[in-house]
Amino acid sequence: MANVNTRLNVAPVPPDEIFALNGAYAVDTFPHKVSLGVGVYRTDDGKPWPLPVVQKAEKQLVVDNDLFRHEYTAIEGDVPFLGIARDLMFGFEGKQTEEEAKARIGSVQTVAGTGANHLGAIFLAHHMKPRSVWLSNPSWANHQTIWELAGVPRKTYPYYHAATRSFDFEGMMSTLENDAQEGDAVLLHACAHNPTGLDPNKEQWMAIADLCERKNLFPFFDSAYQGFASGSVEEDAWAVRYFFNHKPDMEMCVAQSFSKNFGLYGQRVGAFHYVTNRSSTSIRDIVVNNLCHLIRGEFSMGPRVGCSIVKKVLTSDELTADWHQDLQVMSSRIKAMRQALYNELVRLQTPGTWEHIIQQNGMFSYTGLSPKQVYALKDKYHIYLLKSGRASISGLSEKNVAYVARAIDDVIRTEN
């Protein structure tokens, strides 16, 4: 190998597991291969599903022929879109103090949910300087990368109890109570926890909010599945709205994505909301100003096309109703596939317990399969899922669910 003369100090980094797995699936020529890796919605035929309401909105936007549709927006993004995104996330209907509530929230447009998480992490690293950020164990792998790049030390709180395949509420609370320090940030999944599919119940969310308030921790919500998980935008925003409405003296933030609930994966539609406490609303505009400073130095402003689609849908009563129906279609199919996989595993009398599959929520399931079993599924049956055992339920269909169940049954019995 020739000598390389460079000032760079670089070493290879591991490839992203999800994208590497998807690449391997793409070149697999086996006719019955199954992708349970990447987190995108698929129809029962395994095809992408541009939401019908999105297609309606796109046609209306073509007819509108807005001459400014390719122009720059403001640094903070499309301002009307930001109000719509904020209202969808926090909900203000029927509240006498609506204006006071909105005055607490500073919002900017981001490059999808990843960009919102990144912007929030960089902003907190610069201006709040938390000693640590607490991530669930496990969490979305990109959370680790985002906070590493922000330069904030990462710690983890227990989340998944492997023996029972359930949410480890006691472990989470005990660790944060004993080890988290005042001013630490705590990353919370608003709903449909990725990768486990396990969420706190409402009483547990209340206890988590109390703990954050008492210990002066900073809640950082990642909301990637509002409406997609349960079919209800209100239900999936319950935790965020509880913290916001019932802990008005606590600051917090929300990274909001429209990738899943509008199927706008490649359009990169997102928002970041910083919530001041009720006595500090005067700093809201300064917060936005500083967020804009970071945005200007990184990507100048958020993408326009995707947010125009969201704005078109959510400013029309008719299209909003259509969108809610599309959410029901997606969430119902996911739930049906959970039930179908569970039923097949029970019918086969597959060793182990499988109730967790139907008790979990949203796109992903922490199946409980070992890395060895995952590799066996890939090598023998061409079924692709993460080595952690996380499966994207959207990849199941009426055509392949029995095949997947038989494969799981086989690799478990073979190992036993």
Side-chain angles (χ1 to χ4, degrees):
M1 180 177 178
N3 291 330
V4 177
N5 183 17
T6 178
R7 295 174 182 269
L8 294 177
N9 180 19
V10 294
V13 295
D16 183 274
E17 183 187 5
I18 296 173
F19 282 89
L21 191 72
N22 197 44
Y25 171 82
V27 299
D28 189 335
T29 58
F30 186 68
H32 304 299
K33 64 182 180 178
V34 179
S35 174
L36 303 179
V38 67
V40 294
Y41 181 79
R42 290 291 183 258
T43 66
D44 201 60
D45 292 324
K47 304 293 185 182
W49 194 58
L51 271 60
V53 71
V54 167
Q55 297 182 73
K56 287 183 181 180
E58 288 174 321
K59 291 176 181 177
Q60 291 186 18
L61 288 168
V62 170
V63 172
D64 291 345
N65 194 28
D66 179 10
L67 294 178
F68 292 90
R69 63 188 179 274
H70 300 307
E71 295 293 301
Y72 293 127
T73 59
I75 296 174
E76 63 263 41
D78 185 302
V79 175
F81 162 76
L82 289 173
I84 292 166
R86 175 202 61 201
D87 293 357
L88 181 71
M89 189 74 259
F90 293 93
F92 302 104
E93 298 83 357
K95 290 183 170 47
Q96 294 181 349
T97 58
E98 178 175 336
E99 291 308 312
E100 290 88 345
K102 290 181 178 180
R104 294 176 56 201
I105 305 170
S107 304
V108 293
Q109 189 178 338
T110 62
V111 184
T114 298
N117 275 275
H118 168 72
L119 180 66
I122 295 294
F123 176 76
L124 294 185
H126 284 196
H127 300 290
M128 197 179 78
K129 302 186 187 307
R131 297 179 191 174
S132 304
V133 58
W134 290 86
L135 307 176
S136 64
N137 181 22
S139 191
W140 180 43
N142 214 16
H143 284 148
Q144 293 280 354
T145 302
I146 287 166
W147 288 93
E148 175 192 356
L149 294 175
V152 178
R154 292 152 289 146
K155 295 183 178 179
T156 61
Y157 56 85
Y159 195 87
Y160 179 69
H161 191 267
T164 59
R165 300 177 182 179
S166 63
F167 169 46
D168 188 0
F169 174 67
E170 290 75 15
M172 173 184 180
M173 295 294 285
S174 175
T175 297
L176 292 177
E177 184 69 62
N178 295 327
D179 299 334
Q181 303 296 311
E182 180 176 344
D184 285 355
V186 181
L187 199 291
L188 302 168
H189 299 228
C191 68
H193 181 273
N194 180 2
T196 69
L198 296 164
D199 294 328
N201 61 37
K202 291 179 180 178
E203 290 73 22
Q204 291 169 336
W205 273 124
M206 293 177 189
I208 294 167
D210 288 342
L211 184 149
C212 289
E213 182 178 49
R214 185 178 68 258
K215 290 186 64 70
N216 196 20
L217 306 178
F218 185 89
F220 190 124
F221 277 100
D222 186 357
S223 178
Y225 301 96
Q226 186 184 3
F228 183 96
S230 70
S232 165
V233 296
E234 289 76 20
E235 185 67 21
D236 293 343
W238 190 92
V240 170
R241 294 179 184 183
Y242 179 84
F243 275 63
F244 177 73
N245 292 317
H246 293 271
K247 302 297 179 184
D249 296 318
M250 185 167 62
E251 291 179 290
M252 58 183 278
C253 68
V254 182
Q256 182 183 21
S257 171
F258 291 85
S259 295
K260 304 295 192 299
N261 56 9
F262 273 81
L264 295 171
Y265 305 100
Q267 294 291 357
R268 316 311 292 145
V269 189
F272 176 77
H273 308 281
Y274 189 96
V275 180
T276 71
N277 63 57
R278 60 182 169 184
S279 64
S280 302
T281 57
S282 61
I283 72 164
R284 182 196 65 178
D285 292 344
I286 300 174
V287 168
V288 171
N289 170 260
N290 278 269
L291 288 167
C292 286
H293 179 66
L294 296 173
I295 290 170
R296 181 60 171 151
E298 187 166 336
F299 57 93
S300 275
M301 62 202 63
R304 184 156 195 160
V305 174
C307 77
S308 296
I309 293 171
V310 172
K311 188 169 57 173
K312 175 64 76 173
V313 171
L314 296 182
T315 53
S316 162
D317 290 343
E318 177 184 350
L319 293 181
T320 298
D322 288 346
W323 178 57
H324 286 290
Q325 182 58 41
D326 290 348
L327 290 174
Q328 286 292 329
V329 169
M330 292 189 290
S331 62
S332 296
R333 199 186 90 73
I334 295 290
K335 293 172 187 175
M337 287 301 100
R338 285 187 180 278
Q339 189 67 53
L341 179 59
Y342 170 77
N343 291 346
E344 281 295 313
L345 291 170
V346 170
R347 186 183 66 80
L348 293 168
Q349 297 183 336
T350 303
T353 59
W354 300 100
E355 288 79 8
H356 59 283
I357 291 175
I358 52 176
Q359 292 168 351
Q360 294 164 351
N361 182 36
M363 179 174 283
F364 300 114
S365 171
Y366 230 44
T367 59
L369 296 171
S370 69
K372 182 179 179 181
Q373 291 164 342
V374 168
Y375 294 138
L377 285 174
K378 176 177 174 290
D379 294 341
K380 187 173 182 180
Y381 291 100
H382 302 261
I383 297 171
Y384 292 76
L385 63 159
L386 301 191
K387 64 183 178 183
S388 65
R390 190 205 80 170
S392 177
I393 298 298
S394 181
L396 295 175
S397 70
E398 292 184 2
K399 300 178 181 64
N400 67 27
V401 67
Y403 173 74
V404 171
R406 288 195 302 271
I408 292 173
D409 182 78
D410 176 63
V411 299
I412 289 176
R413 292 183 188 276
T414 298
E415 187 171 284
N416 290 343

